[in-house]
Structures are given as C-alpha cells and as structure tokens.
Amino acid sequence: MPVDLNKLPLHVAITMDGNGRWATQKNLPRTSGHNQGLTTAKNIVKAAVDLGIKHLTLYVFSTENWKRAEQEVGFLMNLIHVHLIGELEFYKQNQIKINHIGNLEALPKNIQKDIIEAKEKTKDFNRMTVNLAINYGGRDEIVRGIKKIINSGKNEEEIDEKTVSSFLDMPESPDVDLLIRTGGEMRLSNYLLWHVPYAEQIYTDTLWPDYTNEEFYNNIEVYQTRNRRFGAEKAKK
C-alpha cells in the first residue's frame, strides 16, 4: 500500500535510538554509530520534505545525555557543530526552516551560536520545519514554560492550553501526529510530554543507523491505517 499523500501526518517526531548498540554489534567505536546515525537523519529529513510533511522533530541530545562518558559527549557536541555549519546549504536547497527545542542557555557557547545562526539563516523558509531537540527534556521544557508564564505577568484567567503551548519551545508546530522510536525500546524517555497526548506511536527494533527511507514510508502507511478518535466514540474527520 503506497503512502497516501492526502493523509499525511502534519507533525512527525522521531526518537533516533540505537547508534551505540549498532556500533557495538559491529565492533566499532560508539562514535561510528553516531556518524552513521547523522547520515540516516539527513536521509529521513529529505524523505520527509519530499513527501510533503510540514513538521519534523528529531531527538538529538537529551538533558540526560550529559551523564554519558565525557569523550562521547564531546564528540556529540562537535558532531552537532559540524552538522549545523556544514549542512546549511542542504536546508537552504530544500527550503527547510530550522528550529531548536531544549535548554539553549545550558549548551556550550559555540553550539548556542551555531543554533542561533542556523535559525536566523533559515527563518524565512516554509517548505518544512525541522525541530532539533538538543539538550531537551520534556519536563524541563514544561518547567521553563511555567517560569516564562509567571514572568509574563499573566493572571489565572488568561491561562489555558493554548497559552501554555505558546510559551513552550515550538509554538509554531502543532501537536505530534506520529511518534516513531527506533532501537527496540518502548518508552517516551522524557520526550515531548506536552506535545504527544494523541500521537500515534510506532516502535521498531531497527537500530537508527539501519533505519531506511523505505521503513519510514512503511511507518507512515501504518499511521494512515490507524483509527484516530481523540477520545471520541468515532474517528475525528
């Protein structure tokens, strides 16, 4: 069954899990897994934009990933730096807007600069928005959002779900329609807690470096067979 281009999810989020295990299975350093994972990420971004998906969110580096070995964290930070600088032309060619979600201020200064520059240089593109979750945690996002609401001086009567969403990290993106996680684990891992209340979820045993465009298309096809009721008796039309 081919992908129905008239029933695409508006917002797809992916937990790109399994880079380290992929490398271990091949007796390679974990850094090799992260390198290959970056190649996979670029392929999936291209596949998504070519399909016509408007919002794609990628879990790049979580607030918990700082607990990893210092050498691996340093490598990942450098990989993010190289990607943000080296792939700007790719984003420009495909008219992709880059957004960052996560705690920007807690990142190294050079990465903060890279993110700010990438956002600025792609801010007028509208073919697809890619939200890069870097130093991201769902609870951290909600806590930071609450602090922003308090500092804004809003009173109780002004606060509803729409208001809260506007103070979180991606106010321009709708709720997630489809959440995909590779690597065989079946949990949210503190990812997009506010944004996935009615997301369809697909978990695959495929390690992220082995995840292909074909499997991505298959996941979209499975999504299109789901009966999305949003808490109602009948599917929402």
Side-chain angles (χ1 to χ4, degrees):
M1 182 184 73
V3 173
D4 185 344
L5 299 182
N6 295 311
K7 295 182 180 179
L8 291 173
L10 189 58
H11 187 174
V12 177
I14 305 178
T15 301
M16 307 179 293
D17 195 15
N19 291 342
R21 281 172 286 157
W22 180 89
T24 300
Q25 288 179 5
K26 298 179 181 299
N27 294 315
L28 296 170
R30 289 175 63 86
T31 52
S32 296
H34 294 309
N35 272 323
Q36 185 59 42
L38 185 58
T39 299
T40 299
K42 184 177 178 180
N43 291 339
I44 297 304
V45 168
K46 186 65 167 68
V49 74
D50 286 347
L51 271 181
I53 290 169
K54 301 303 292 184
H55 302 266
L56 178 67
T57 301
L58 302 176
Y59 209 177
V60 179
F61 189 90
S62 77
T63 49
E64 288 74 39
N65 286 157
W66 297 108
K67 300 172 186 176
R68 295 186 178 184
E70 184 177 348
Q71 182 179 4
E72 183 175 359
V73 170
F75 179 86
L76 286 169
M77 286 297 115
N78 186 64
L79 199 62
I80 291 168
H81 166 73
V82 170
H83 174 77
L84 288 171
I85 298 300
E87 297 295 346
L88 267 177
E89 189 58 34
F90 166 78
Y91 288 106
K92 289 179 181 178
Q93 287 175 356
N94 291 282
Q95 293 290 289
I96 297 170
K97 178 180 179 178
I98 297 174
N99 183 44
H100 167 255
I101 65 173
N103 192 334
L104 181 68
E105 290 73 19
L107 284 165
K109 295 295 183 183
N110 66 316
I111 303 298
Q112 292 185 41
K113 180 175 178 289
D114 295 337
I115 290 170
I116 291 168
E117 289 185 358
K119 288 177 63 177
E120 177 62 27
K121 291 179 179 178
T122 64
K123 66 180 182 180
D124 296 323
F125 301 152
N126 58 13
R127 191 176 174 202
M128 182 172 77
T129 296
V130 172
N131 299 299
L132 298 175
I134 304 172
N135 194 29
Y136 177 86
R139 289 184 172 182
D140 177 74
E141 179 189 20
I142 292 169
V143 169
R144 286 186 289 104
I146 291 171
K147 290 179 179 178
K148 291 175 187 176
I149 293 171
I150 292 170
N151 290 334
S152 73
K154 288 189 176 297
N155 59 50
E156 182 180 346
E157 289 71 27
E158 296 177 281
I159 299 173
D160 55 17
E161 289 187 12
K162 185 176 180 180
T163 302
V164 174
S165 293
S166 72
F167 281 88
L168 297 180
D169 290 348
M170 48 180 180
E172 295 180 4
S173 291
D175 282 347
V176 174
D177 295 305
L178 172 60
L179 174 65
I180 300 168
R181 179 167 184 156
T182 63
E185 304 291 352
M186 299 176 68
R187 55 177 176 267
L188 289 178
S189 295
N190 198 20
Y191 189 37
L192 303 177
L193 301 181
W194 178 267
H195 310 279
V196 296
Y198 284 103
E200 298 299 320
Q201 300 178 32
I202 293 177
Y203 296 90
T204 171
D205 290 333
T206 304
L207 301 177
W208 178 247
D210 289 330
Y211 189 75
T212 62
N213 290 6
E214 289 70 27
E215 185 166 3
F216 180 63
Y217 300 144
N218 288 338
N219 291 162
I220 299 294
E221 290 168 16
V222 169
Y223 162 84
Q224 293 179 337
T225 68
R226 298 282 179 88
N227 181 18
R228 306 189 73 203
R229 296 189 300 276
F230 298 91
E233 256 185 75
K234 295 182 180 180
K236 184 177 180 180
K237 294 182 180 182

